[in-house]
Amino acid sequence: MIQQYKVYIDPSSKILYSSYYIKGLYDCFGKKHVTFSSKPFIGLKKRKDNELFDHFMAFVIAWGGTEYKFIVDFWDKTLIDEYAYHWCDAYAKINVSKESVFKKDKLVPIPPGFGIKIWNKKDSLIHCLKNYFISKRDPHIKFSRHWEDYMDQYERPAIKAYENNDSDILNKKPYIFMIGRLWPHVNCIKTTNPLRREFIRVCKKLDVEFEGGLFANSNHPEYEAYKDVSFTSKVDVQTYVRNTKKSILVFNTPAVHDCHGWKLAEYFAMGKAIVSTKLSNYIPLDNDAALPIHEVSTVDNIESDVKLLIEDAAYRNDLKNRARKYYNNVAKPSKVIEVLVKKVIPGFQHYARS
């Protein structure tokens, strides 16, 4: 007989960012064994700053008379929250600097995730209201921000929308789709924004059907410099997912604070042929296999590299297959949770799929 685990999630967690990992908990332990409770987190000391809401999710697994404590840190920055690190038994983090990846015993580097729908509208409302009242939130997290977080989760596609990907569609011309934000952060002004602009300009001059650009507010200080590749009306997430699936290839760059952005995780889930500039932070591999991306060495090579993937169907399909394999073996929500839990419960085998 399998001894039952009980999983408790900190109700003050930012649900949109935590949703990927809550899905992993549901898949590993069964939805009925996962709940929200503030009691196991009384001893978790938290910083009193505005960024904390976007920083980490905490959960506890009760099993065999022992409580095992876990942190999933989805912060863009490579800094580790020392309060949370001291509290937990295992500390999963997406953005880990390549220099510090093996310097902390509790640290578990994980691949990036992204926001997904995990509840229907009724359940989203119930969890939103209940968790607000039991979470003992800091005063700066107003109900309006809490509410928006849950509604953002509800508006996202479910994970299956990303996993159920058709082959890229080849019409008379190859179709390429890419949208991103025109970020105001210092590192993005220097690297992310110019690289994305160059990719867009390359696609526009090649013999392809290109759609997309950079979403920007006309008040953005760099708007005029990027006006030729920008748009000011938001694209809904369903259109973004649908068009990205159709795209013959996709483009990735490190984003805010040089982080692994959501786009990279979405591309893995979709099984896309990924053209990417060099990643700034560490990312775990699949049994030491090469990361399933085509890395651009310099900005001057973007055009030739895009042409290569368009023209070489065999190589493009190999990248797609490897990206899908990486997602299934390493980056899928249940795989991320399994690796983290095995850090402190070596004999753990997930047994639930509901």
Side-chain angles (χ1 to χ4, degrees):
M1 179 179 178
I2 298 175
Q3 187 169 3
Q4 298 295 303
Y5 298 87
K6 190 67 178 177
V7 182
Y8 302 98
I9 302 172
D10 180 1
S12 70
S13 301
K14 183 168 185 175
I15 289 302
L16 179 61
Y17 285 26
S18 303
S19 57
Y20 196 81
Y21 310 100
I22 295 174
K23 170 63 175 169
L25 292 172
Y26 285 167
D27 287 346
C28 286
F29 297 97
K31 203 169 185 178
K32 65 182 179 180
H33 299 296
V34 180
T35 190
F36 290 89
S37 174
S38 60
K39 187 176 179 180
F41 307 97
I42 293 174
L44 175 55
K45 185 179 179 181
K46 296 184 178 181
R47 303 189 328 270
K48 302 292 183 182
D49 65 69
N50 198 54
E51 285 188 311
L52 185 62
F53 187 49
D54 300 341
H55 191 163
F56 65 76
M57 159 192 169
F59 68 93
V60 166
I61 298 174
W63 179 66
T66 302
E67 289 190 346
Y68 301 93
K69 302 172 183 178
F70 300 87
I71 294 290
V72 178
D73 183 334
F74 32 70
W75 207 12
D76 292 337
K77 297 179 181 180
T78 58
L79 299 175
I80 290 174
D81 188 291
E82 293 300 330
Y83 293 149
Y85 186 86
H86 178 74
W87 173 84
C88 72
D89 297 303
Y91 190 105
K93 185 166 177 60
I94 295 171
N95 291 294
V96 181
S97 68
K98 294 173 182 177
E99 297 76 23
S100 65
V101 64
F102 300 115
K103 292 184 178 179
K104 286 184 173 286
D105 293 339
K106 298 179 185 178
L107 186 62
V108 182
I110 58 174
F114 53 96
I116 56 173
K117 178 190 288 187
I118 50 175
W119 302 312
N120 60 29
K121 191 168 188 178
K122 178 183 176 182
D123 288 342
S124 295
L125 291 172
I126 291 172
H127 285 301
C128 176
L129 296 173
K130 180 181 177 182
N131 286 345
Y132 185 77
F133 288 108
I134 69 173
S135 63
K136 299 180 175 61
R137 282 205 178 282
D138 290 332
H140 68 273
I141 305 298
K142 304 299 182 185
F143 180 74
S144 58
R145 189 176 180 189
H146 175 89
W147 169 270
E148 183 180 5
D149 179 39
Y150 280 75
M151 293 305 101
D152 285 346
Q153 170 273 147
Y154 171 69
E155 294 296 332
R156 295 286 298 180
I159 193 75
K160 288 297 182 184
Y162 297 85
E163 295 174 338
N164 296 339
N165 185 24
D166 298 326
S167 299
D168 45 56
I169 299 173
L170 292 176
N171 298 314
K172 292 181 180 179
K173 290 184 178 181
Y175 175 78
I176 298 179
F177 176 77
M178 184 271 181
I179 61 172
R181 284 184 179 271
L182 186 64
W183 292 108
H185 303 77
V186 173
N187 78 285
C188 294
I189 290 173
K190 290 181 178 179
T191 56
T192 308
N193 297 339
L195 288 167
R196 289 178 173 178
R197 175 174 57 189
E198 180 61 21
F199 175 77
I200 293 168
R201 286 176 172 173
V202 163
C203 290
K204 284 186 172 182
K205 74 177 185 178
L206 292 177
D207 188 24
V208 303
E209 180 188 351
F210 176 78
E211 190 173 6
L214 298 179
F215 173 70
N217 188 300
S218 58
N219 294 324
H220 192 289
E222 298 224 312
Y223 177 74
E224 288 300 323
Y226 287 82
K227 196 172 182 179
D228 65 315
V229 296
S230 294
F231 59 93
T232 56
S233 297
K234 286 187 176 181
V235 176
D236 66 85
V237 66
Q238 287 77 20
T239 300
Y240 162 75
V241 172
R242 182 175 64 251
N243 289 350
T244 303
K245 285 182 174 183
K246 288 166 49 181
S247 188
I248 193 173
L249 56 87
V250 291
F251 184 68
N252 175 73
T253 58
V256 177
H257 302 302
D258 292 317
C259 74
H260 298 310
W262 280 11
K263 288 184 183 299
L264 181 58
E266 291 169 333
Y267 297 159
F268 288 144
M270 293 180 189
K272 301 303 297 182
I274 305 168
V275 177
S276 179
T277 58
K278 187 179 180 70
L279 302 181
S280 302
N281 296 328
Y282 179 85
I283 189 168
L285 302 178
D286 180 12
N287 293 322
D288 294 324
L291 195 66
I293 63 174
H294 177 89
E295 185 177 298
V296 176
S297 57
T298 69
V299 65
D300 295 331
N301 288 350
I302 290 179
E303 182 172 350
S304 60
D305 289 344
V306 169
K307 284 182 178 178
L308 171 65
L309 264 69
I310 291 173
E311 296 168 359
D312 193 335
Y315 178 50
R316 187 175 69 247
N317 287 329
D318 178 62
L319 284 172
K320 289 167 57 179
N321 292 334
R322 286 167 51 206
R324 188 170 289 110
K325 181 180 178 183
Y326 180 83
Y327 172 74
N328 288 328
N329 291 350
V330 182
K332 198 169 186 172
S334 59
K335 290 295 183 180
V336 174
I337 294 299
E338 187 175 339
V339 167
L340 177 59
V341 173
K342 283 183 175 179
K343 173 79 172 178
V344 293
I345 311 177
F348 169 76
Q349 295 291 331
H350 71 263
Y351 59 90
R353 288 291 178 187
S354 60

